[in-house]
Amino acid sequence: MYSLWVALVFCCLGQLCADQSLKPQIAVPQLATNNPTLTTVALEKPFCVFDNSLYPNKSYVIYLYAMKESASAISSLVTDDSSKPLESTFQQTSGGQLGPYKAAWFNVPSCASPPKLADVGDVNKVADVLKQYLFRVGDDGTCLYDPNFLSACNPPLAPNTTYRFKYMLVDSTEGIMKDQTLWSDPIKTRRVKLPLKIDTWPGRRSGGMIVITSILSVLVFLLLAGFLASVFSAVMGPEDSSAETRHMSQTPQQSELKPQLSSE
C-alpha cells in the first residue's frame, strides 16, 4: 500500500500524468512543505515531458524561465526569430517585471531511470532524491553580487508577488529551442507579516493576553522587591539595636570611673 501511494505521488510529481505534461507544476505538499516561501517556489522537474523531442546522439538541456504575472503578455516570448533562447537576466528584466529571465538550466531528467522510489524512506538519501525531482526557484542569494558568477542567476523572488514559469528544451549543440511547455499557472509567494502580527508566543496568545501577562510580571516584580526590602530591614534591625545597647552599657561605666579618679 505504501509503495502504491509513493508511486502515485511521484506520478504527479514527475508529470507522468497526461493532464500535467503541458506546464510546470508546483511541488506537491507531501514533498515540499512550506511552499511557496517568501522568496522561493519549489517546482517539479519536467520528467517525461520532452521525450518525443529527444533524438539519439544529441545533447540537450532544460532552461527554466520566470517572470512576474504583471509582465506584458507581448514580452512573454523566450526565443528570438531564429528560435534561439533568450539570455535575458534577472537584472535586465527588473526581476521579471519587464519580461521573462533565464533563472536556471539543468540536464534533462531521465524518465527511463528516475531515482529509486524506495530511497524516499531513507533519511540519508531523501535529500538527494528530492533534489533530482524538484527545483527551487529563488534559491541563490549570492549570484547577483558575485562578479565572477557566469551561469544563470537564480536570485530570491519578491515576497507577495505572483510569478509564472516555463521549461524549454534546448539543443545544446545547435543552441536552439526544440520544445517548450506552456507558462505555469500563477504562483504567488508568501506575504511578509507585520511585526505586530508575528506570533512569538506559544499557544498563539492574543494582544490582550500579552498586556495582562505584562501587568502580572510587573506586579510580581514589585512583590519580590517588597519582600527583599522587608528581609533586609529584618536583618539590619537587630544589628542596630545591639550596637545601641552596647553603647548604653559603656556610658554608666565611664561615669562611675570619674569619681574614683577625683578622690585619689
Side-chain angles (χ1 to χ4, degrees):
M1 182 67 182
Y2 174 76
S3 299
L4 179 61
W5 180 86
V6 171
L8 179 61
V9 168
F10 278 101
C11 174
C12 296
L13 171 67
Q15 296 183 347
L16 301 180
C17 304
D19 60 342
Q20 291 189 340
S21 63
L22 298 179
K23 52 190 175 182
Q25 302 290 325
I26 191 169
V28 293
Q30 292 88 339
L31 298 176
T33 58
N34 190 30
N35 182 43
T37 66
L38 289 173
T39 58
T40 65
V41 174
L43 299 175
E44 302 169 3
K45 286 187 176 180
F47 275 85
C48 308
V49 172
F50 299 120
D51 279 18
N52 293 332
S53 300
L54 300 177
Y55 293 92
N57 303 320
K58 286 283 189 176
S59 178
Y60 300 94
V61 292
I62 300 293
Y63 282 7
L64 170 62
Y65 287 91
M67 71 172 181
K68 294 181 179 179
E69 188 186 26
S70 56
S72 172
I74 300 176
S75 62
S76 63
L77 297 177
V78 292
T79 60
D80 58 18
D81 295 337
S82 59
S83 295
K84 289 189 176 182
L86 299 181
E87 298 293 336
S88 302
T89 65
F90 182 90
Q91 297 96 322
Q92 292 171 343
T93 62
S94 298
Q97 180 66 42
L98 303 178
Y101 65 92
K102 189 171 74 172
W105 67 270
F106 49 85
N107 294 327
V108 180
S110 175
C111 184
S113 57
K116 296 179 181 178
L117 299 183
D119 291 341
V120 176
D122 189 335
V123 177
N124 298 322
K125 297 180 180 180
V126 63
D128 291 335
V129 172
L130 294 181
K131 185 177 180 180
Q132 294 180 63
Y133 272 105
L134 305 179
F135 184 85
R136 189 173 291 276
V137 188
D139 201 31
D140 191 340
T142 61
C143 62
L144 285 179
Y145 313 104
D146 184 359
N148 299 319
F149 189 85
L150 301 177
S151 185
C153 187
N154 181 30
L157 304 175
N160 193 33
T161 304
T162 303
Y163 289 87
R164 291 179 182 269
F165 307 97
K166 176 192 283 285
Y167 286 128
M168 177 193 293
L169 178 68
V170 178
D171 185 326
S172 56
T173 303
E174 300 178 11
I176 61 175
M177 184 268 295
K178 288 298 183 180
D179 203 351
Q180 61 182 325
T181 67
L182 301 175
W183 283 100
S184 70
D185 294 330
I187 301 176
K188 190 174 185 179
T189 53
R190 294 195 176 186
R191 179 169 50 186
V192 178
K193 288 186 177 181
L194 296 175
L196 295 178
K197 294 184 179 181
I198 297 177
D199 182 15
T200 59
W201 291 77
R204 297 184 177 274
R205 292 185 173 89
S206 63
M209 292 187 67
I210 294 176
V211 173
I212 294 174
T213 302
S214 301
I215 294 175
L216 292 177
S217 300
V218 173
L219 291 177
V220 170
F221 172 77
L222 294 176
L223 289 174
L224 181 60
F227 174 75
L228 293 176
S230 62
V231 170
F232 180 78
S233 176
V235 171
M236 296 301 295
E239 294 181 358
D240 295 341
S241 60
S242 61
E244 182 180 356
T245 303
R246 287 196 301 271
H247 177 72
M248 293 179 62
S249 62
Q250 291 177 1
T251 302
Q253 293 178 4
Q254 293 176 359
S255 61
E256 292 175 0
L257 290 175
K258 289 181 180 179
Q260 292 179 2
L261 294 175
S262 62
S263 62
E264 293 178 357

